[in-house]
Amino acid sequence: MDFDFFISEKQKNRKFTNCYLSNNDLKKRFSNNQFETIEKQPNAVFLLEKTRYGFHKLFFFSKDILKVDWHTFSDKKLVLNIILRRSKLSEWASIINTIQLDGKFKTRSKFVRMAIPLQEKSFQKESHKMIKNPEPLDFDALQKLLEQNFDIYAEFIPSLNDLLQFRETTYIIKENNKIAAFAICQNIGTTTELRFLLVLKAHRGKGYGDLLMNYSVAIDKNISRFFLWVNIENKAAMNLYNGMGFKEDDILNCVFVNNNNNNNIPINKTT
């Protein structure tokens, strides 16, 4: 299935979807051979995106999701995320139940979105002088830290190429020339998403997390909105962000893995 034919099928089946990539982003990923395309079904079309961790991310576009044959994917290791409104959760209950039963998916994690509208903020340059953008040699270390501290199934760890693209919005603090803490952000128009925030255990209690958060929020004066996702079970992080002025909105990201994955890998609830 070529890209143009896929776009045509996507338009016919876009009532239900878990893919919010633009057509340009989709085309780029097609060109880079990141997708394996599944033959379309009468009520849906699917994409499988390769990962370096041995599983695929499953994206769907469907005009009648209750008529999808989820058994098609029984031989694949899959991760499926569905973003929905919590106020509509009861309406999705039967759909999610069908996906879990027919596709043999289990809930891995749930993330709530928290956002803050940005006021005019300032910071003392002196207190932020230790924050830098990463150098080329830092990116391997950043990726290893992401893999060691975040859930590879649920938190969409970027490839090295993607990390390089985030260089200008990645902020690190070093001690003895080693990374002690970092924040990785992604700008989308006038909105910034905090993708990852981590202070290594040996360096906690030094205020690095607050420093990086305040810097990330304040550094770009063209940004009008700042948001992040937090594991719904991580009450400590939710309370922390609430104290900073973040508010939960109605959006929930549910992450499912099928039975072919090693579901015994522990979940790191660092965000």
Side-chain angles (χ1 to χ4, degrees), residues 27 40-42 61 78 125 148 169 190 196 198 203 207 225 228 235 253:
K27 188 172 185 178
K40 80 177 203 68
Q41 296 181 12
F61 299 87
L78 299 175
K125 290 185 179 179
Q148 291 166 358
T169 53
T190 59
F196 303 96
L198 178 69
H203 302 284
R225 184 170 176 269
L228 53 84
K235 302 302 182 184
N253 183 9

Side-chain angles (χ1 to χ4, degrees), residues 93-106:
S94 61
I95 296 172
I96 290 173
N97 187 57
T98 298
I99 292 172
Q100 289 181 303
L101 289 176
D102 292 352
K104 301 189 185 306
F105 282 95
K106 294 182 179 179

Side-chain angles (χ1 to χ4, degrees), residues 145-146 149-150 180-183 196-200 204 212 270:
L145 288 170
L146 288 171
N149 292 278
F150 295 87
F182 64 85
F196 303 96
L197 175 67
L198 178 69
V199 179
L200 273 66
R204 291 173 188 170
L212 285 165
T270 54

